[in-house]
Amino acid sequence: TRLMNKTAVLILPLSVPQHLHTFHSHPSGETETLIYTQHPSKGDIDAALGTSYVIAKRERKVYVYDHSGILATIPERKF
């Protein structure tokens, strides 16, 4: 658990069947030493099972990706 802006962020490994899609968000906040990446990280892409989604809160975009990389970006308001 990491404390940021008075909000606890719990990061857990996720194991899902290959036919399921996964969704998670990347926070908009930052600390003095950390700015959260908005796009899918290398770890996100490497762990993707099928099509996955990252909701980038600072950018207000949704990234659609799979194990090969980013497939599309969608404005959050249209998702």
Side-chain angles (χ1 to χ4, degrees):
T1 303
R2 190 180 327 170
L3 190 62
M4 189 188 89
N5 296 339
K6 299 180 184 177
T7 302
V9 178
L10 184 60
I11 301 171
L12 299 172
L14 181 63
S15 177
V16 295
Q18 191 164 2
H19 66 280
L20 293 179
H21 303 294
T22 61
F23 294 81
H24 70 280
S25 64
H26 286 182
S28 62
E30 58 187 73
T31 68
E32 290 180 19
T33 59
L34 177 67
I35 298 175
Y36 285 96
T37 302
Q38 294 296 286
H39 56 79
S41 68
K42 180 178 178 345
D44 291 332
I45 291 169
D46 290 346
L49 299 172
T51 304
S52 297
Y53 303 82
V54 167
I55 302 161
K57 298 309 290 177
R58 183 176 359 146
E59 294 179 347
R60 297 184 178 173
K61 292 180 184 177
V62 177
Y63 287 88
V64 182
Y65 66 98
D66 66 12
H67 68 279
S68 66
I70 297 170
L71 304 172
T73 57
I74 304 166
E76 187 180 51
R77 70 183 183 282
K78 296 202 178 216
F79 183 70

